[in-house]
């Protein structure tokens, strides 16, 4: 069993009568695009989709491990928004001029160093709040730091002036200016990795930032803000809010002092954010869901491929936007591959995430678990065959409704929800194909396009095939890994805009053209 940390790999929200929940676009039952249903699952819009209870003034986080309350926080109210944004704008007007890029770079490096020194504490909170096994939680913090340091290393060139065409007597260039007050909304499933993608470029570019994390992981925004402030970040350059009310978030997005919204969530959440900002001209970046396919060609080493695919599908209990959601296998190795997958799955342990032997923890909530099980039952009712040996995860599943064993299903097809929607759980639905052409057509048969992977010994053929796949990131012999030197971007309904790489800085700046002409020489 692979135990490496894949860098990237809900609950019913119980609102009190005093809390409104508008935005009809969140109605998953009525939504469809290209005739494929879109499922709005918990990682998506942390405004309403996490495991928490809410009143008009407080948010209470529910543990996915025990299903009991573990934290209560004050919630953002409409009256908080004007002073919050005024503080951010006042800080921006100073910060952009008083702190040069080298000074901001020093602050960012000091912040990342401090984060690493707190990694054990951060990981402990992460396990408690979202249920990832302790043995893996600290790796997210370490990967966050490595990613942040890469972004830091390219920031000088990414933010430098762009020269115009040379011409005697003239000086022309484009300068990249900060946009202003940035609102970052991000999810619970990889909160530190998601956040660093936007936070480091935003601060390095000279912006001020308001963080709105998921109510499922309230400690993340608090600890990140406290650590950054602790290394000398000026007051109010970085602030945070807790919010579980979509109407209040709409007001924050629409408030004139907000200059950019960077959102990570579902298609439904992204559309809601986009609509909230629709009467303004501010940029909105969207990193949304995925229904990421893998195609295993007939030339691979079957045991190796099976181990890789299982890891890519079920790490973090399958709760990753770029985890493998559906698997196509060439018919020449189909039966052998299915058998090897089962053998790999037998090596996983579902259980208490604080137990160092545990490799699979709970999903985020009982509601999420119910939806995952419903997708499995839908597939079985339409002809899929369950391959997971009976009872191998029974001990773990007995702990609480949120503990879901790995489900391996064969003979799946596109009439099944599990193949055409983002199940977001520890499932491995497998479908045989007879050719590369059929595999690529099926991979592209989705309204989502975040990542896709092809597994083959023939690298040249792999390159040929991924060129035909409609996804923002395509892999050959790898999966579930946003590389910091590349563009992380969604195609189709998986998003708009770019994080990571040089392009990851572009959303956080606006261009200002400088056109200077020499004063004429007096005669």
């Amino acid at each position: 069993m692979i135990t490496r940390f894949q860098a990237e790999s809900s609950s019913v929200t119980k609102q009190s009568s005093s809390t409104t929940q508008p935005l009809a676009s969140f109605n998953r039952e009525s939504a469809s695009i290209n005739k494929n249903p879109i499922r709005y699952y918990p990682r998506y819009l942390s405004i309403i989709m996490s495991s928490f209870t809410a009143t008009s003034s407080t948010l209470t986080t529910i543990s996915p491990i025990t299903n009991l309350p573990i934290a209560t926080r004050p919630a953002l109210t409409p009256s908080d928004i004007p002073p919050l944004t005024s503080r951010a704008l006042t800080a921006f007007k100073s910060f952009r001029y008083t702190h040069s890029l080298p000074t901001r770079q020093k602050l960012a490096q000091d912040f990342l160093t401090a984060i690493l020194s707190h990694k054990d504490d951060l990981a402990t909170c992460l396990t408690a709040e979202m249920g990832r096994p302790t043995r893996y939680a600290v790796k997210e913090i370490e990967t966050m730091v490595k990613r942040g340091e890469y972004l830091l290393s390219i920031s000088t060139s990414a933010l430098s002036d762009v020269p115009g065409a040379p011409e005697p007597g003239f000086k022309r260039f484009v300068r990249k200016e900060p946009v202003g007050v940035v609102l970052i909304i991000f999810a619970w499933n990889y909160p530190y990795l998601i956040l660093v993608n936007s936070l480091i470029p935003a601060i390095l570019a000279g912006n001020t930032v308001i963080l709105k994390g998921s109510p499922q992981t309230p400690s993340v925004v608090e600890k990140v803000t406290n650590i950054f402030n602790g290394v000398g970040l000026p007051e109010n350059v970085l602030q945070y809010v807790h919010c579980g009310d979509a109407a209040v978030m709409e007001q924050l997005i629409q408030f004139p002092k907000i200059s950019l919204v960077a959102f990570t969530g579902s298609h439904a959440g992204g559309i809601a954010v986009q609509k909230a900002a629709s009467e303004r001209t501010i940029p909105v970046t969207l990193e949304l869901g995925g229904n990421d396919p893998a195609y295993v060609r007939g030339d691979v080493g079957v045991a190796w491929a099976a181990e890789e695919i299982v890891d890519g599908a079920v790490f973090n209990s399958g709760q990753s936007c770029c985890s493998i959601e559906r698997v196509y296998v060439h018919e020449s190795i189909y039966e052998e591959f299915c058998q090897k997958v089962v053998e790999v799955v037998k090596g996983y342990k579902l259980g208490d995430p604080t137990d160092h032997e545990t490799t699979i923890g709970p999903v985020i909530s009982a509601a999420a678990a119910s939806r995952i099980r419903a997708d499995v039952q839908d597939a079985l009712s339409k002809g899929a065959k369950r391959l997971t040996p009976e009872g191998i995860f029974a001990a773990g599943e007995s702990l609480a409704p949120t503990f879901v064993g790995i489900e391996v299903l064969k003979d799946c097809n596109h009439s099944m929800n599990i193949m055409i929607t983002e199940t977001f759980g520890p499932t491995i639905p497998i479908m045989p194909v007879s050719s590369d052409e059929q595999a690529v057509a099926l991979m592209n048969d989705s309204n989502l396009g975040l990542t896709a992977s092809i597994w083959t010994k023939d690298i040249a053929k792999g390159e040929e095939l991924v060129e035909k796949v409609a996804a923002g990131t395509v892999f050959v012999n790898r999966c579930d890994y946003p590389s910091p030197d590349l563009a992380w971007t969604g195609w189709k309904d998986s998003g708009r805009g770019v994080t990571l790489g040089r392009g990851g800085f572009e959303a956080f700046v606006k261009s200002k053209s400088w056109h200077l002409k020499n004063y004429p020489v007096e005669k």
Side-chain angles (χ1 to χ4, degrees), residues 473-497:
T473 297
V474 290
F475 299 98
V476 175
N477 298 330
R478 198 176 194 182
C479 65
D480 192 22
Y481 187 86
S483 188
D485 56 333
L486 301 179
W488 186 246
T489 184
W491 283 23
K492 297 187 279 190
D493 290 323
S494 284
R496 182 182 66 204

Side-chain angles (χ1 to χ4, degrees), residues 146-341:
K146 290 178 181 178
R147 181 177 297 178
E149 288 177 340
Y150 177 79
L151 293 170
L152 183 57
S153 75
I154 63 171
S155 60
T156 298
S157 60
L159 296 170
S160 62
D161 293 345
V162 179
E167 182 178 352
F170 291 88
K171 180 181 181 181
R172 292 191 293 263
F173 60 91
V174 176
R175 178 154 293 168
K176 298 175 181 180
E177 303 270 358
V179 297
V181 180
V182 174
L183 173 62
I184 300 176
I185 305 172
F186 63 104
W188 54 263
N189 59 320
Y190 283 98
Y192 288 99
L193 285 173
I194 296 169
L195 176 55
V196 76
N197 293 356
S198 299
L199 177 60
I200 293 300
I203 294 294
L204 289 174
N207 301 286
T208 54
V209 176
I210 298 170
L211 303 179
K212 210 302 289 186
S214 168
Q216 187 63 48
T217 51
S219 71
V220 174
V221 293
E222 296 165 354
K223 290 180 180 295
V224 164
T225 301
N226 290 339
I227 291 171
F228 223 145
N229 288 342
V231 299
L233 193 68
E235 185 178 16
N236 296 324
V237 169
L238 181 61
Q239 301 178 83
Y240 66 84
V241 298
H242 297 295
C243 188
D245 188 325
V248 176
M249 285 307 300
E250 280 187 336
Q251 293 178 55
L252 179 57
I253 292 166
Q254 292 166 355
F255 207 75
K257 292 182 175 67
I258 298 295
S259 299
L260 163 70
V261 180
F263 172 82
T264 301
S266 72
H267 175 265
I271 293 299
V273 168
Q274 189 170 260
K275 285 182 177 179
S278 62
E279 294 187 4
R280 305 187 61 206
T281 59
I282 63 171
V284 175
T285 66
L286 307 172
E287 195 269 277
L288 310 180
N291 183 26
D292 300 13
Y295 168 42
V296 183
R297 298 186 75 234
D299 63 346
V300 299
V302 175
W304 166 80
E307 192 170 30
E308 294 280 338
I309 294 294
V310 171
D311 181 60
V314 306
F315 190 85
N316 204 38
S317 298
Q319 299 171 128
S320 171
C321 59
C322 56
S323 64
I324 293 174
E325 291 275 342
R326 49 198 170 110
V327 184
Y328 305 99
V329 181
H330 194 272
E331 60 188 7
S332 63
I333 60 167
Y334 181 69
E335 295 297 337
E336 182 186 2
F337 178 83
C338 291
Q339 180 184 357
K340 293 294 185 184
V341 165

